[in-house]
Amino acid sequence: MPNGWNPIGLSPDGDTITLAEYAPKTRLQTISRLWQTSTAGNAKTVDVAGHYLAGGLGPDGKTIVAVESVGVPGTGCMRSGEDLVHLDRETGKVLRRVPVRGLSMTGNFVYLRSWTDPQEIIALARPFVCKESDVNDPAPSFDPPYVPFTAYAVNVKTGKARKLATYTAQDFFHLVLPGSPGTL
């Protein structure tokens, strides 16, 4: 895999992988013909206008749902946008926005994971805290505190969220959820 890219989906036949890159900008890449000896010309990369965190590739092998990261004016902090955003894998364009109900998107920082079924994706929410750094702040700890993460199943068509469970972890990457593999 290319350096800096995160896998978000693999086709059922294992021949095509979809990747996302989040920095310095959001981009999507599809690589096909993974197992053929000559792979020249098999990758397509598209830039996405704005900053988004994508969930796992949908069960249909095409749907990409993401959460926009937006700046909080005057703070330097980033928070989640209000909606689920459907992105076009081929062009990187926003296809539509779906307002979320039953989960405060702006009161939490929301990460999307895997799909529970063809209509619902797991949204993992951590309470949003915006603390400007100060030169007098202590150095980051090697053992950060545990914080709550609440998992929701969100319908990607209606935006209706239902709470699944609450977990505690030191970081988003330290939390493994049951079910099919997730993404970032």
Side-chain angles (χ1 to χ4, degrees), residues 8-12 56-65 113-121 156 180:
I8 62 170
L10 184 65
S11 65
L57 189 63
D60 62 3
K62 298 176 185 173
T63 302
I64 295 178
V65 180
R113 287 283 186 100
S114 58
W115 294 70
T116 62
D117 63 35
Q119 303 292 314
E120 289 183 327
I121 192 165
V156 299
S180 58

Side-chain angles (χ1 to χ4, degrees), residues 81-117:
E82 298 178 18
D83 307 320
L84 284 183
V85 179
H86 290 251
L87 299 173
D88 186 322
R89 181 173 83 156
E90 300 294 319
T91 66
K93 293 186 188 311
V94 172
L95 298 173
R96 71 178 186 269
R97 294 178 179 274
V98 178
V100 176
R101 300 180 332 269
L103 162 59
S104 173
M105 297 289 284
T106 58
N108 292 287
F109 199 88
V110 178
Y111 307 88
L112 299 177
R113 287 283 186 100
S114 58
W115 294 70
T116 62
D117 63 35

Side-chain angles (χ1 to χ4, degrees), residues 29-53:
Q29 184 176 86
T30 303
I31 303 173
S32 58
R33 300 190 315 267
L34 290 174
W35 304 109
Q36 296 183 15
T37 56
S38 173
T39 59
N42 67 344
K44 179 177 181 181
T45 303
V46 295
D47 293 337
V48 179
H51 295 282
Y52 296 90
L53 295 174

Side-chain angles (χ1 to χ4, degrees), residues 6-10 18 22 54-57 111-115 121-122 124 172-173 175-184:
N6 300 288
I8 62 170
L10 184 65
T18 302
Y22 301 111
L57 189 63
Y111 307 88
L112 299 177
R113 287 283 186 100
S114 58
W115 294 70
I121 192 165
I122 293 177
L124 195 55
F172 171 76
F173 297 106
L175 186 61
V176 177
L177 297 177
S180 58
T183 63
L184 166 68

